[in-house]
């Protein structure tokens, strides 16, 4: 799943579609990508995993910004080209060792939904990490009972299950729910692990020095953990394995990300504008790099304007990898 963990520019029509388990929380037209596409009217789609902005005139000009890349998100007062001050949505994001700044303004000066919706859903995303990340030694067990998450139900509980992460093994309880797998030690409830289905790469039964063992491997992006559990008798091990596989496959079809958010003050829904299917073209890599440059966050090392003979006016000097001429050529002639 890349939607919540990457920043992508000018993605294909297919990647703009919402993935399984992703849903739109809010949808706003009249939104301008002020830093990269000033003056271009666009649509902002706020989902439970990311925000998507695209130009209404040319949908292939778009952005996809996953919440897991956010460093900071807030509202910011800016001075627009029309000479007025307005509250904009400001996002500082980090992806592949680069920092990006995004500024979105609402052409409807009376509306604040362009930043209240994003900030609200982002907070809901942050508070639901247990649905998407492995948790070790967390406070999930209370009086030998698992503290259930919203939308979570317990499917089975297996006593006398050995966690083989350490050489000697530890006796504990193994719990299977519709969202995750949980194990905790009988002697110390704080010694536990929560493994959401979302980050599981493989589930199998393998032979080990402890005999047939249930082995769970997490995805590389989650740390590539290899966890082993010994379940007795052998028949119970195979029953548990089949149960987990069935729930895992069901979760893939109907994933639960645990991100719930309801707009407190729902404004009238703006008229729906369909994203027309557009032909996908292979963009020149140099041009794509120049597009990235629009959004780079420079912090305090901002470039100072100087007179440009090419433009006949003062302008900020571009990055070393580009020139004013090739940036200017990105602007459509018509």
């Amino acid at each position: 799943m890349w939607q919540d963990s990457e920043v992508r520019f000018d993605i294909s029509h297919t990647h703009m579609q919402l993935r399984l388990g992703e849903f739109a929380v809010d949808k706003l037209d009249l939104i301008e990508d002020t830093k990269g596409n000033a003056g271009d009217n666009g649509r902002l789609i706020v989902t439970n995993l990311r925000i998507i902005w695209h130009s209404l005139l040319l949908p292939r000009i778009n952005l996809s910004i996953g919440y897991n890349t956010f460093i900071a998100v807030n509202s910011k007062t800016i001075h627009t080209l029309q000479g007025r001050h307005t509250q904009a949505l400001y996002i500082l994001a980090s992806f592949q060792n680069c920092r990006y700044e995004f500024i979105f303004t609402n052409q409807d000066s009376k509306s604040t939904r362009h930043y209240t919706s994003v900030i609200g859903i982002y907070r809901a995303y942050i508070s639901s990490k247990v649905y998407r990340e492995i948790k070790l030694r967390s406070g999930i067990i209370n009086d030998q009972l698992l503290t259930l998450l919203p939308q979570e139900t317990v499917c089975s509980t297996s006593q006398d299950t050995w966690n083989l992460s350490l050489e000697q093994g530890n006796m504990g309880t193994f719990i299977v729910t519709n969202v995750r797998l949980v194990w905790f030690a009988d002697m110390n409830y704080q010694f536990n692990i929560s493994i959401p289905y979302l980050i599981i790469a493989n589930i199998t039964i393998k032979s080990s020095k402890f005999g047939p063992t249930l082995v769970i491997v997490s995805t590389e992006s989650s740390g590539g953990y290899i966890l082993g559990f010994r379940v007795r008798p052998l028949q119970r091990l195979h029953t548990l394995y089949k149960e987990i596989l069935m729930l895992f496959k069901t979760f893939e079809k109907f994933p639960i990300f645990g991100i719930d958010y309801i707009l407190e003050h729902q404004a009238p829904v703006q008229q729906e504008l369909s994203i027309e299917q557009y032909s996908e073209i292979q963009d020149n890599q140099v041009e794509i790099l120049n597009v990235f440059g629009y959004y780079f966050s420079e912090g305090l090392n901002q470039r100072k304007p100087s007179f440009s003979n090419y433009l006949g006016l003062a302008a900020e000097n571009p990055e070393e990898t580009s020139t004013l001429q090739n940036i200017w050529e990105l602007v459509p002639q018509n």
Side-chain angles (χ1 to χ4, degrees), residues 51-69:
I51 65 171
I52 303 169
W53 180 92
H54 69 84
S55 165
L56 291 176
L57 182 63
L58 293 172
R60 68 181 181 86
I61 300 176
N62 57 66
L63 301 166
S64 174
I65 313 168
Y67 297 133
N68 206 35
T69 69

Side-chain angles (χ1 to χ4, degrees), residues 144-161:
Q144 290 187 300
L145 295 175
L146 174 65
T147 302
L148 294 178
L149 303 169
Q151 304 180 63
E152 183 179 28
T153 56
V154 172
C155 300
S156 69
T157 301
S158 300
Q159 306 290 340
D160 301 332
T161 300

Side-chain angles (χ1 to χ4, degrees), residues 303-314:
R303 302 184 296 274
K304 294 182 179 180
S306 61
F307 183 78
S308 167
N309 291 324
Y310 176 72
L311 296 178
L313 48 79

Side-chain angles (χ1 to χ4, degrees), residues 68 128-135 194-196 199:
N68 206 35
S128 59
K129 285 187 175 182
V130 68
Y131 287 86
R132 304 179 302 275
E133 298 180 3
I134 287 182
K135 296 294 182 181
S194 170
I195 316 162
I199 56 86

Side-chain angles (χ1 to χ4, degrees), residues 4-23:
D4 70 330
S5 57
E6 295 186 15
V7 174
R8 292 192 178 186
F9 301 87
D10 299 341
I11 58 179
S12 67
H13 182 268
T14 301
H15 289 162
M16 288 180 69
Q17 304 307 306
L18 306 187
R19 60 150 289 150
L20 292 174
E22 185 179 16
F23 58 87

Side-chain angles (χ1 to χ4, degrees), residues 31-38 40 53 63 102-105 295:
I31 302 298
E32 177 189 88
D33 170 24
T34 303
K35 190 159 186 181
N37 295 281
D40 190 359
W53 180 92
L63 301 166
F102 301 93
I103 298 175
F104 299 98
T105 54
Y295 303 95

Side-chain angles (χ1 to χ4, degrees), residues 81-264:
L81 295 175
Q82 291 76 25
R84 60 186 177 87
H85 288 84
T86 187
Q87 285 293 108
L89 168 65
Y90 171 81
I91 297 171
L92 178 63
S94 176
F95 177 58
Q96 292 184 341
N97 299 319
C98 291
R99 286 196 173 195
Y100 300 99
E101 285 181 334
F102 301 93
I103 298 175
F104 299 98
T105 54
N106 196 333
Q107 302 303 308
D108 181 359
S109 59
K110 296 181 181 180
S111 175
T112 62
R113 282 168 57 193
H114 59 300
Y115 58 84
T116 55
S117 293
V118 175
I119 293 173
I121 193 66
Y122 174 64
R123 288 173 178 169
Y125 175 87
I126 289 298
S127 65
S128 59
K129 285 187 175 182
V130 68
Y131 287 86
R132 304 179 302 275
E133 298 180 3
I134 287 182
K135 296 294 182 181
L136 300 170
R137 300 178 182 273
S138 55
I140 58 175
I141 306 299
N142 184 21
D143 194 23
Q144 290 187 300
L145 295 175
L146 174 65
T147 302
L148 294 178
L149 303 169
Q151 304 180 63
E152 183 179 28
T153 56
V154 172
C155 300
S156 69
T157 301
S158 300
Q159 306 290 340
D160 301 332
T161 300
W162 288 82
N163 183 336
L164 307 178
S165 300
L166 301 177
E167 286 297 325
Q168 71 275 14
N170 285 274
M171 179 74 77
T173 301
F174 191 87
I175 302 173
V176 178
T177 82
N178 61 325
V179 173
R180 56 180 170 165
L181 306 176
V182 175
W183 178 91
F184 65 91
D186 292 338
M187 300 299 294
N188 180 8
Y189 301 156
Q190 291 301 313
F191 183 29
N192 57 60
I193 184 168
S194 170
I195 316 162
Y197 292 130
L198 193 62
I199 56 86
I200 293 179
N202 188 33
I203 306 170
T204 187
I205 294 177
K206 291 185 176 181
S207 297
S208 70
K209 66 180 183 179
F210 298 98
T213 301
L214 176 67
V215 177
I216 300 169
V217 181
S218 75
T219 57
E220 289 187 12
S221 59
S222 67
Y225 292 96
I226 301 176
L227 305 166
F229 300 93
R230 193 187 76 172
V231 181
R232 292 292 182 270
L234 188 60
Q235 182 180 358
R236 174 57 185 159
L237 171 62
H238 287 281
T239 301
L240 181 63
Y241 170 67
K242 291 178 181 179
E243 179 187 29
I244 294 173
L245 275 186
M246 182 186 67
L247 290 168
F248 181 59
K249 291 178 180 179
T250 301
F251 185 88
E252 287 183 324
K253 295 179 181 179
F254 307 99
I256 300 173
F257 299 120
I259 307 163
D260 291 322
Y261 179 76
I262 300 175
L263 295 175
E264 294 182 1

